[in-house]
Amino acid sequence: MTHFIVWYLLFGLLGAISFPLIFYLAPGIAGRGYAFARIAGFLLWGYIYWLLGILGILRNDIGGILFSLALLTGASVFMLTRIEISEFKDWWREHSGMVVVTEVLFLLAFGGWAWIRSMNPEITATEKPMELAFLNAIRQTPVFPPADPWLSGYAISYYYFGFVLVAMVSMLTVTSAGVAFNLGIALVFGLAATGSYGVLYALLNRSEGGTGRKQLLFALFGPLFVVLVSNLEGFLDMLHARGYFWRIQPDGSLSSNFWRWLDLKDLINPPAQPFSWIPQRFLWWWRASRVVNDVGFTGGQQEVIDEFPFFSFLLSDLHPHVLAIPFVLLAIGLAFNLYIREKPGEMTFLGRKFAVGTVDFVFAAITMGSLAFLNTWDFPIYVALFTGAYILREVQVNDGWEWSRVVEGMILGALLVAAGIVFYLPFYFGFSSQAAGVMPNILNPTRGAHLWVMFGSLFIPLIFFMLFSTVKERPDWKKGLAWGFGIVGGLWLLSLIAAGAVALRPELLARALEVIGAPNVSAVLRESFLRRFLGFGGWLTLALLLSFVAALLVRKGNASQDRFVFLMAGVGLLLVTGPEFVYLRDFFGTRMNTIFKFYYQAWILMGLSAAYGAVRVLRDWRSAAGTISSVIIGVILVMGLTYPVLSLQTKTGGFSPLNGLNLDGTTHAAYLTPDDRAAVAWLLGATRGTIIEAVGGSYSGAARIATHTGYPNVLGWVFHQGQWRGGYMEVGSREGDVERVYETGSWEEARAILEEYGVMYIYVGPLERTTYSLNEAKFRRNLPLLFEQGSVAIYGFTGHR
């Protein structure tokens, strides 16, 4: 509780410090961006700290952190001098209720999720060890860039800004990494709740009849849809566990045409008896992140990740796609500020004028650029949204679509990309990527049923809102259908052209056929067309929804927040449509990662759109059709909230944790023995240095000492290094070298390897003894024994070149 209170008070102070900045920079957002103050302050504080650190001006310590906070405070005080007191008074008089709701929401969301994490705080399995390793490494590295904890001699090659932010707070508040990890995920939950509230509050404030006290509560639909509402798998899992749609056969077995047709893995199998309301399968809640079901040419299953925010918070991996959520919401808020701002200012670049102020552009570039450093996939997405908002505003201000305005917006977008890269240029110098071009998705169209299970809880409110909009507006159906089906058809053609380009290169074709498992090109194309036409539900749904959104976007009319909502929905739908036909090639060789990254941002954008649409339908559609729509939206909300209710019951042991409440996630790490824990504690009190320990595959117990100390080891999870660096060149012969150190009987051979990698500590514990044919005698003969307890011994080595 002490650490939680300190963090809560710190972010209350940070919000107060930062508010004058966002007040000045976001005059178009209702409430002057108060709900974004903590997020903007956190970003700018972390950016100043990282930039001055990477330039060698500051050290990575509490002094540097406080100096950066002082600079942020100075900038805010300067902005405060440019704001009239009367403006603040007017703001408070109009939006004091919003301030109260925002503060209560942050306290409940941050505190509530910290409580949830205290019931299952373990930092084990999935990507958590990697994230803890990065967090500890940044805390332990005296200067930036931070050292890679799993590859000694190298800096981290990853988008690690989110870990810098959490590490910065943990160091200032003297919070251990195990506690900071869980407070970090709770903090992101709290900031995501307030950020989504701020976006919806701004949208509703601009809507007709949207002012007043009711909108303070209606704006809570933002966090409801973005961070709580989930896909429909949880509801289906409940029906499955309850035995619905199953028939008992004469031999006593269960069969179901419905579940066989739906074909969701695990749910195709009969439920355990006796039936229950809460699924009883081990890790049943995991299935919600694996709804989309891809099948290879020969029928083999291909894993696809389709996470959504609540699943991420439930899993509580402190991963980049989660850490980026608050800053994504800030980027959306800035795009809306640009779109709705009455006096946008003017910026001139190379003789061309743009209707955006220079200060606004710089702040947008810092925000958008941070997304590349937080979760690189998000950068182009929100630059596109910002660009789209600019184009849409210019079209409406100048009363008509012209290519010159589109070109002007695209140039602004290109400048934003360039500026975003320049502001974070030191990051790119040490960054490698596994991305290796665009590949066609020939064989795996998403089934319509799976698409609706994934996004149905957002599609339904969005569709009813678009129907409501047609009552007052006249959509341009001709252009809308042309755009919707043109995009889908164009992407399909693009995928076929890309496939043809591969077919024209014999060496690529042979490899592609080998990976696919097909005998020849004609067999692949035949299967491709068959699947595309038989599985028409997915692409047809997307074509129709894109058509509907486009028809409402291209119509003539005055600027309104509705159009911005349709823009968000359109970008979200494009992110879902893209992987139907193309994907980014990486180490996995499938569209798994593309679906993961694109669907996640699609959920945030469409979640906000659905939240706004649901409020408009519930509040403003006064007719029989509106009543029916409201009832259906209410039903779909219940279905979308089934997953959070049931999964929290399972994940927290019915809110009765066996080990009591505890925020330190390192206390129950199963891959650490008590002797390992004692050794970690000793190392943290010793001089920082490179460790040699057992090497292993991803998600193994290997690299556990580097993970929990933050000290670099020779090599950690091998495949992860390949992912981070786009290959294994830097890894080289390290895996074999580590094995030789432990197994060789020659001290000279071991010594040469230890010298090569600058090793200071040789770790010999249970994992090293079971992984290698250990020859420990050479260490005992030639090295001082620094630590020994039970099955763990640590030897010191200082014979470096």
Side-chain angles (χ1 to χ4, degrees):
M1 282 299 296
T2 301
H3 290 292
F4 166 75
I5 292 170
V6 171
W7 281 49
Y8 173 73
L9 293 175
L10 174 62
F11 275 85
L13 175 64
L14 183 62
I17 289 172
S18 309
F19 181 52
L21 286 170
I22 199 72
F23 186 97
Y24 181 82
L25 293 168
I29 302 177
R32 301 298 288 258
Y34 180 85
F36 300 103
R38 288 179 176 89
I39 303 171
F42 200 18
L43 170 65
L44 293 172
W45 181 20
Y47 176 68
I48 294 168
Y49 179 57
W50 167 80
L51 183 62
L52 296 181
I54 204 81
L55 294 176
I57 298 172
L58 295 179
R59 288 182 62 82
N60 182 27
D61 55 24
I62 291 179
I65 295 168
L66 288 173
F67 183 78
S68 303
L69 184 59
L71 289 180
L72 174 65
T73 303
S76 190
V77 169
F78 173 74
M79 287 296 185
L80 190 61
T81 62
R82 306 183 66 178
I83 302 170
E84 298 291 336
I85 296 297
S86 59
E87 286 187 81
F88 269 121
K89 289 181 178 179
D90 292 342
W91 165 80
W92 176 255
R93 185 167 50 251
E94 186 175 354
H95 299 289
S96 58
M98 179 271 299
V99 173
V100 173
V101 174
T102 300
E103 291 305 312
V104 172
L105 176 62
F106 179 71
L107 175 60
L108 292 177
F110 181 26
W113 207 259
W115 177 62
I116 294 294
R117 284 305 299 156
S118 72
M119 297 183 204
N120 58 125
E122 296 81 6
I123 306 174
T124 58
T126 59
E127 304 289 346
K128 291 184 181 68
M130 179 209 90
E131 296 147 7
L132 181 62
F134 280 177
L135 182 58
N136 271 319
I138 293 168
R139 287 160 53 94
Q140 292 292 339
T141 303
V143 294
F144 288 152
D148 189 329
W150 290 353
L151 195 72
S152 60
Y154 288 89
I156 293 174
S157 177
Y158 198 61
Y159 22 90
Y160 62 85
F161 190 38
F163 300 106
V164 170
L165 296 175
V166 177
M168 179 179 71
V169 176
S170 72
M171 292 165 66
L172 181 62
T173 58
V174 196
T175 306
S176 70
V179 174
F181 188 101
N182 286 312
L183 281 179
I185 199 75
L187 174 66
V188 173
F189 187 85
L191 294 177
T194 54
S196 50
Y197 178 82
V199 172
L200 197 60
Y201 180 81
L203 289 167
L204 293 175
N205 190 269
R206 300 287 305 197
S207 67
E208 185 178 348
T211 59
R213 293 181 179 274
K214 286 197 299 184
Q215 79 174 31
L216 297 176
L217 299 180
F218 276 127
L220 292 172
F221 273 60
L224 178 68
F225 272 88
V226 172
V227 300
L228 289 181
V229 168
S230 304
N231 68 24
L232 301 179
E233 193 280 337
F235 180 76
L236 291 168
D237 223 319
M238 181 187 71
L239 298 182
H240 178 273
R242 195 63 189 163
Y244 288 111
F245 309 121
W246 290 96
R247 296 190 308 272
I248 301 178
Q249 300 300 313
D251 63 357
S253 64
L254 296 173
S255 67
S256 172
N257 292 330
F258 170 77
W259 295 109
R260 186 168 61 251
W261 166 80
L262 188 60
D263 192 25
L264 287 178
K265 192 175 179 181
D266 293 340
L267 301 192
I268 200 170
N269 301 320
Q273 298 188 54
F275 299 142
S276 65
W277 285 109
I278 299 180
Q280 301 301 311
R281 295 190 324 278
F282 177 66
L283 285 180
W284 70 266
W285 50 269
W286 181 269
R287 181 53 45 207
S289 69
R290 302 298 190 273
V291 167
V292 176
N293 185 16
D294 280 0
V295 180
F297 183 83
T298 57
Q301 297 290 316
Q302 296 177 344
E303 184 177 24
V304 176
I305 302 174
D306 46 53
E307 280 192 32
F308 49 93
F310 186 83
F311 172 87
S312 300
F313 288 115
L314 183 72
L315 180 64
S316 289
D317 277 6
L318 196 65
H319 214 56
H321 68 284
V322 180
L323 288 164
I325 292 175
F327 309 101
V328 159
L329 293 165
L330 175 62
I332 294 171
L334 293 180
F336 182 61
N337 178 65
L338 174 73
Y339 170 77
I340 211 71
R341 191 169 177 179
E342 295 178 0
K343 297 179 180 180
E346 187 175 88
M347 180 184 76
T348 303
F349 184 80
L350 296 180
R352 181 184 286 269
K353 293 183 178 181
F354 299 93
V356 56
T358 302
V359 175
D360 301 303
F361 177 83
V362 169
F363 185 50
I366 291 174
T367 302
M368 303 295 170
S370 76
L371 297 180
F373 198 3
L374 284 157
N375 189 41
T376 303
W377 297 67
D378 300 348
F379 183 30
I381 294 171
Y382 292 98
V383 168
L385 180 71
F386 193 87
T387 301
Y390 181 86
I391 293 171
L392 206 56
R393 188 195 68 192
E394 290 302 294
V395 165
Q396 290 167 160
V397 168
N398 295 286
D399 196 28
W401 286 90
E402 290 184 8
W403 277 111
S404 61
R405 296 185 185 111
V406 176
V407 171
E408 180 182 318
M410 294 177 69
I411 293 173
L412 179 67
L415 290 175
L416 194 60
V417 169
I421 292 173
V422 168
F423 280 125
Y424 295 88
L425 196 58
F427 157 67
Y428 292 95
F429 290 149
F431 179 64
S432 300
S433 173
Q434 60 175 313
V438 177
M439 292 292 289
N441 174 28
I442 297 295
L443 292 174
N444 283 306
T446 303
R447 282 188 59 202
H450 294 169
L451 187 69
W452 278 87
V453 170
M454 180 65 203
F455 289 111
S457 49
L458 306 184
F459 283 168
I460 295 297
L462 188 56
I463 288 171
F464 279 122
F465 172 55
M466 290 191 290
L467 289 172
F468 165 70
S469 298
T470 62
V471 175
K472 294 185 176 182
E473 305 287 348
R474 181 175 294 178
D476 192 330
W477 292 114
K478 185 177 179 180
K479 289 183 179 178
L481 288 168
W483 274 106
F485 281 87
I487 288 170
V488 170
L491 285 171
W492 190 8
L493 179 61
L494 176 64
S495 71
L496 292 174
I497 292 173
V502 171
L504 291 175
R505 299 180 62 180
E507 70 283 2
L508 291 180
L509 177 60
R511 175 60 180 156
L513 291 176
E514 180 184 352
V515 171
I516 294 172
N520 50 57
V521 174
S522 61
V524 175
L525 290 177
R526 184 167 55 250
E527 183 69 14
S528 172
F529 278 90
L530 182 65
R531 292 188 183 187
R532 192 69 72 181
F533 283 110
L534 291 180
F536 63 87
W539 61 262
L540 183 59
T541 293
L542 292 169
L544 291 172
L545 288 174
L546 281 169
S547 298
F548 209 159
V549 168
L552 290 164
L553 267 178
V554 300
R555 73 183 191 277
K556 292 185 177 181
N558 295 324
S560 75
Q561 70 290 332
D562 288 10
R563 281 197 173 183
F564 185 80
V565 171
F566 295 137
L567 175 65
M568 287 195 299
V571 174
L573 288 168
L574 287 173
L575 292 173
V576 177
T577 306
E580 292 300 295
F581 303 98
V582 294
Y583 64 91
L584 295 179
R585 181 185 173 194
D586 55 25
F587 268 39
F588 300 101
T590 66
R591 65 176 188 150
M592 178 185 76
N593 221 25
T594 304
I595 288 276
F596 174 24
K597 300 294 189 179
F598 281 18
Y599 274 26
Y600 206 80
Q601 298 311 315
W603 186 281
I604 294 173
L605 289 164
M606 290 196 294
L608 289 168
S609 304
Y612 177 82
V615 172
R616 292 296 304 277
V617 169
L618 293 171
R619 191 188 66 189
D620 297 338
W621 203 352
R622 304 301 181 191
S623 67
T627 301
I628 294 171
S629 302
S630 298
V631 170
I632 295 175
I633 289 173
V635 170
I636 205 71
L637 258 177
V638 170
M639 294 168 67
L641 290 171
T642 301
Y643 179 81
V645 171
L646 298 186
S647 61
L648 282 174
Q649 285 278 337
T650 300
K651 196 73 161 53
T652 61
F655 299 97
S656 299
L658 294 176
N659 298 309
L661 302 181
N662 179 18
L663 275 170
D664 189 347
T666 63
T667 56
H668 299 293
Y671 52 87
L672 284 183
T673 68
D675 295 336
D676 285 329
R677 295 181 193 282
V680 167
W682 181 86
L683 281 166
L684 288 173
T687 303
R688 178 179 177 273
T690 299
I691 302 166
I692 190 167
E693 60 178 317
V695 176
S698 297
Y699 314 112
S700 69
R704 76 248 188 245
I705 306 305
T707 295
H708 283 261
T709 60
Y711 298 176
N713 69 10
V714 176
L715 181 62
W717 291 359
V718 182
F719 182 69
H720 272 61
Q721 284 295 341
Q723 285 181 260
W724 301 337
R725 300 180 183 280
Y728 297 98
M729 183 178 68
E730 292 88 348
V731 171
S733 62
R734 289 180 182 233
E735 187 171 11
D737 291 343
V738 172
E739 181 179 7
R740 286 162 55 205
V741 166
Y742 283 108
E743 294 189 348
T744 182
S746 169
W747 167 242
E748 291 306 319
E749 181 182 10
R751 178 189 179 91
I753 296 172
L754 296 172
E755 287 180 348
E756 180 180 355
Y757 295 112
V759 172
M760 182 178 290
Y761 302 110
I762 297 93
Y763 194 90
V764 179
L767 187 60
E768 286 69 32
R769 299 179 195 280
T770 57
T771 303
Y772 305 111
S773 299
L774 181 64
N775 186 320
E776 191 176 354
K778 61 181 178 294
F779 300 142
R780 289 196 177 270
R781 287 194 306 267
N782 296 283
L783 297 174
L785 180 62
L786 304 179
F787 173 89
E788 186 171 28
Q789 177 175 310
S791 59
V792 173
I794 301 176
Y795 299 92
F797 180 72
T798 56
H800 304 155
R801 291 173 181 170

